[in-house]
């Protein structure tokens, strides 16, 4: 008679067979009742919706949304294909968001299908799918990207509602920035006789400074006999960012976020003290805060470090060759790497205080910060040497966040834009706040993004003479919430206020982070 462990192994074998076939959305009939109940009891699958399940890892903690958010799109695609075959498509508005590189998981996904029932299906973690009974766009107005059926970019612009310009201006402006020729949009407008929509789209292009495309649309519609009245559908004007061609939605998105967020930061952040005359004293203050900074920065990432471990490493009493216990300790490697990276950042800060352009210094030096951060883990055999090669080559996810970091190809588009913006930005406060935020928004590395983001923040704070600022682990939840608001809702105010209060306390000699 099989033991309970052998029975569970049999059930896991069935689950593995489904995963090997690429199945993410597990329909109840794909597993026998016995296997399904056994996997549920042992928490190897989680019910998403009645009769639909998702595989979860053995270390899965109930209430952790990471597994769901990281599998969200694949699950939805497989669920929709099972229900509708190819007869479904995302709404024009949500198609536009995806074309804009908006990687946030939507609270409600709106799907069109002639077979739908105008009903909402509740999923995990306050997400849902609304199945709208509606005709699909013509085939030439559809595209399929990674299995997701949606409106093409021109069709999404033409078919989206006027309120999209008000509620999602960043997404619309990003999509507009990608259009370099009016032909495809005009074909849809002319064939449908959409004179009002043409006036709205023409006004939108004028809003972002693309006068040539705007005039081509309105003049062509008038020439074809339509009464095309140009109107600006946005509630505010934007800076003209598109004097050169935008290569990807991520480039345009980051530039737009930067321009829209910077004024909030300038208004709310303490005034810049300016580069200190006594650079030696400033560097000494940075060195004095190392133990506190390392303790809190590593603890935020949930490493189990102690001040004693950090002091041991700073004093040089750590040796991976002779102390095999330390060489096998992930936490000790993190602490040693933090010390090495901290010293590398300190060298960059000295360059910045010497009046080198802070954006250029960060661009040139951040790769070295990263190599120092993880070098000890490579030496100890905890990581492969290839892990130091640079930006990631795989997708990553942020625990319990609805923001999905950019795909690996997009990282290569986004990072040069970040450093260009840092180089051109006149405000140290903006460089610090948005340098940190955009870095973790992109998440360019497989690991260490939070620590790297905080290093970048402090290097940029130094460029304005602000003190090195520690984010206390006790305020981790507030810190993560503020970043989530910026990432998913483009609301930079909570993160600005959070950092401004810490910086202000440090300027008054009242740092709130203690070991």
């Amino acid at each position: 008679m099989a033991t309970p462990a052998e029975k569970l192994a049999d059930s896991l074998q069935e689950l593995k067979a489904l995963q090997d076939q690429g199945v993410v959305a597990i329909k109840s009939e794909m597993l026998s009742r016995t296997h399904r109940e056994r996997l549920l009891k042992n928490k190897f699958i989680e019910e998403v919706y009645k009769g639909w399940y998702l595989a979860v890892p053995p270390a899965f903690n109930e209430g952790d949304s990471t597994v769901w958010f990281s599998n969200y799109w694949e699950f939805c695609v497989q669920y929709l294909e099972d229900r509708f075959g190819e007869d479904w498509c995302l709404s024009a508005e949500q198609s536009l968001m995806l074309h804009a590189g908006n990687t946030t998981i939507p609270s409600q996904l709106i799907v069109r299908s002639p077979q739908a029932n105008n009903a909402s299906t509740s999923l995990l973690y306050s997400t849902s799918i609304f199945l709208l009974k509606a005709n699909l766009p013509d085939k030439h107005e559809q595209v399929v990207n990674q299995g997701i059926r949606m409106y093409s970019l021109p069709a999404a612009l033409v078919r989206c509602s006027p309120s999209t310009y008000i509620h999602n201006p960043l997404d619309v402006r990003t999509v507009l920035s990608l259009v370099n020729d009016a032909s495809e949009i005009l074909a849809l407008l002319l064939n449908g006789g959409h004179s009002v929509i043409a006036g709205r789209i023409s006004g939108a292009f004028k809003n972002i400074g693309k006068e040539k495309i705007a005039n081509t649309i309105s003049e062509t519609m008038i020439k074809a006999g339509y009464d095309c009245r140009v109107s600006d559908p946005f509630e505010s004007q934007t800076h003209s960012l598109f004097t050169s061609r935008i290569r990807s939605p991520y480039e345009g998105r980051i530039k737009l976020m930067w321009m829209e967020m910077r004024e909030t930061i300038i208004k709310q952040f303490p005034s810049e003290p300016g580069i200190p005359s006594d650079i030696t004293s400033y560097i000494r203050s940075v060195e004095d805060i190392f133990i506190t900074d390392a303790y809190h920065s590593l603890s935020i990432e949930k490493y189990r470090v102690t001040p004693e471990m950090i002091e041991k490493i700073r004093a040089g009493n750590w040796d991976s060759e002779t102390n095999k216990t330390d060489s096998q300790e992930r936490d000790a490697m993190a602490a040693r790497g933090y010390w090495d990276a901290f010293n590398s950042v300190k060298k960059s800060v000295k360059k910045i205080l010497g009046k080198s352009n802070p954006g250029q210094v960060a661009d040139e030096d951040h790769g070295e910060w990263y190599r120092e951060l993880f070098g000890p883990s490579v030496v100890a055999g905890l990581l492969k040497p290839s892990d130091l090669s640079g930006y990631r080559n795989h997708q990553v996810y942020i625990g319990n966040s609805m923001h999905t970091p950019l795909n690996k190809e997009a990282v290569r588009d986004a990072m040069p834009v970040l450093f260009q913006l840092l180089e051109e930005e006149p405000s140290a406060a903006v460089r610090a706040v948005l340098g940190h935020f955009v870095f973790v928004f992109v998440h360019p590395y497989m690991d260490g993004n939070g620590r790297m983001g905080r290093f970048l923040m402090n290097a940029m704070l130094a460029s304005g003479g602000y003190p090195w600022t520690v984010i206390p682990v006790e305020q981790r939840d507030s810190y993560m919430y503020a970043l989530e608001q910026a990432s998913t809702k483009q609301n930079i105010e909570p993160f600005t206020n959070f950092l401004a209060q810490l910086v202000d306390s440090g300027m008054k000699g009242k740092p709130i982070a203690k070991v």
Side-chain angles (χ1 to χ4, degrees), residues 420-467:
Q420 176 195 345
L421 290 166
L422 287 172
E423 184 178 337
E424 297 173 353
E425 175 57 55
S427 165
V430 174
R431 290 195 293 268
V433 176
L434 292 186
H436 182 342
F437 161 60
V438 174
F439 192 95
V440 296
F441 178 87
V442 176
H443 241 63
Y445 295 108
M446 289 300 295
D447 194 9
N449 294 286
R451 283 162 282 170
M452 288 287 291
R454 292 186 286 278
F455 281 143
L456 180 60
M457 174 192 78
N458 274 303
M460 296 303 104
L461 285 174
S463 71
Y466 293 108

Side-chain angles (χ1 to χ4, degrees), residues 81 249 403 482:
E81 285 183 345
H403 167 63

Side-chain angles (χ1 to χ4, degrees), residues 14-32:
E14 294 294 317
L15 179 60
K16 182 180 184 300
L18 291 175
Q19 291 180 311
D20 289 345
Q21 297 169 35
V23 175
V24 173
I26 302 169
K27 199 174 182 181
S28 58
E29 53 258 41
M30 294 178 181
L31 291 165
S32 70

Side-chain angles (χ1 to χ4, degrees), residues 317-514:
N317 295 327
W318 169 89
D319 186 340
S320 63
E321 292 301 318
T322 60
N323 192 330
K324 296 302 180 184
T325 300
D326 278 354
S327 71
Q328 294 169 7
E329 286 290 333
R330 172 176 173 267
D331 298 339
M333 294 308 100
R336 175 54 196 253
Y338 199 88
W339 167 243
D340 293 341
F342 185 90
N343 284 315
S344 183
V345 176
K346 190 173 67 174
K347 292 177 183 176
S348 301
V349 168
K350 288 180 181 178
K351 295 178 190 177
I352 291 170
L353 295 177
K355 303 296 180 66
S356 293
N357 183 284
Q360 289 180 351
V361 171
D363 189 8
E364 293 167 0
D365 292 359
H366 76 284
E368 182 63 21
W369 304 349
Y370 179 77
R371 289 187 290 274
E372 295 289 352
L373 190 62
F374 287 100
S377 295
V378 170
V379 172
L382 299 177
L383 294 176
K384 302 185 299 293
S386 60
D387 290 327
L388 297 183
S389 61
Y391 298 146
R392 58 182 165 84
N393 291 308
H394 303 282
Q395 184 61 50
V396 295
Y397 299 94
I398 303 171
N400 296 306
S401 174
M402 295 183 79
H403 167 63
T404 303
L406 308 190
N407 62 56
K408 62 181 182 180
E409 291 81 12
V411 169
R412 275 76 181 167
D413 291 333
M415 292 306 289
V417 176
L418 168 59
F419 292 113
Q420 176 195 345
L421 290 166
L422 287 172
E423 184 178 337
E424 297 173 353
E425 175 57 55
S427 165
V430 174
R431 290 195 293 268
V433 176
L434 292 186
H436 182 342
F437 161 60
V438 174
F439 192 95
V440 296
F441 178 87
V442 176
H443 241 63
Y445 295 108
M446 289 300 295
D447 194 9
N449 294 286
R451 283 162 282 170
M452 288 287 291
R454 292 186 286 278
F455 281 143
L456 180 60
M457 174 192 78
N458 274 303
M460 296 303 104
L461 285 174
S463 71
Y466 293 108
W468 187 284
T469 299
V470 176
I471 296 175
V473 66
E474 295 82 4
Q475 295 189 33
R476 183 183 190 278
D477 289 347
S478 298
Y479 172 52
M480 300 306 291
Y481 170 81
L483 284 171
E484 182 79 352
Q485 287 293 301
S487 296
T488 61
K489 302 184 185 302
Q490 289 76 56
N491 179 11
I492 199 63
E493 191 167 352
F495 190 53
T496 302
N497 288 334
F498 178 83
L499 291 183
Q501 290 175 19
L502 293 174
V503 170
D504 188 55
S505 294
M507 291 172 65
K508 293 175 180 176
K510 300 177 181 178
I512 60 175
K514 299 178 181 179

Side-chain angles (χ1 to χ4, degrees), residues 234-254:
F234 292 108
E235 287 187 323
S236 61
Q237 196 66 32
T238 189
H239 298 273
S240 179
L241 304 174
F242 311 112
T243 53
S244 59
R245 178 170 294 191
I246 300 297
R247 295 165 296 179
S248 78
Y250 310 103
E251 178 185 351
R253 187 175 191 81
I254 288 171

Side-chain angles (χ1 to χ4, degrees), residues 11 30 135 151 156 179 203 334 371 444:
S11 298
M30 294 178 181
N135 292 329
Y151 282 76
V179 178
R371 289 187 290 274

Side-chain angles (χ1 to χ4, degrees), residues 160-282:
C160 73
S161 66
S163 63
T164 309
Y165 293 84
I166 306 301
H167 300 306
N168 299 96
L170 180 62
D171 293 327
V172 182
R173 284 180 171 128
T174 300
V175 166
L176 291 169
S177 74
L178 297 171
V179 178
N180 295 302
D181 180 82
S183 303
E184 289 186 85
I185 296 173
L186 266 172
L188 295 173
L189 294 171
L190 290 165
N191 289 337
H194 300 301
S195 58
V196 174
I197 295 173
R200 183 162 60 239
I201 292 177
S202 178
F205 276 113
K206 281 184 179 292
N207 182 281
I208 70 165
K210 287 200 162 188
E211 296 281 344
K212 182 179 179 181
I213 293 178
N215 293 336
T216 298
I217 290 172
S218 59
E219 291 169 7
T220 303
M221 293 297 291
I222 292 170
K223 191 71 174 178
Y226 294 104
D227 181 13
C228 179
R229 302 182 184 183
V230 176
S231 60
D232 188 342
F234 292 108
E235 287 187 323
S236 61
Q237 196 66 32
T238 189
H239 298 273
S240 179
L241 304 174
F242 311 112
T243 53
S244 59
R245 178 170 294 191
I246 300 297
R247 295 165 296 179
S248 78
Y250 310 103
E251 178 185 351
R253 187 175 191 81
I254 288 171
K255 286 184 175 180
L256 282 165
M257 284 196 302
W258 195 283
M259 290 300 111
E260 292 183 7
M261 292 176 173
R262 67 184 305 277
E263 293 303 323
T264 297
I265 297 165
I266 291 170
K267 288 177 183 177
Q268 297 181 5
F269 222 74
S271 299
E272 291 184 28
I275 297 292
S277 56
D278 189 349
I279 293 176
T280 301
S281 294
Y282 185 95

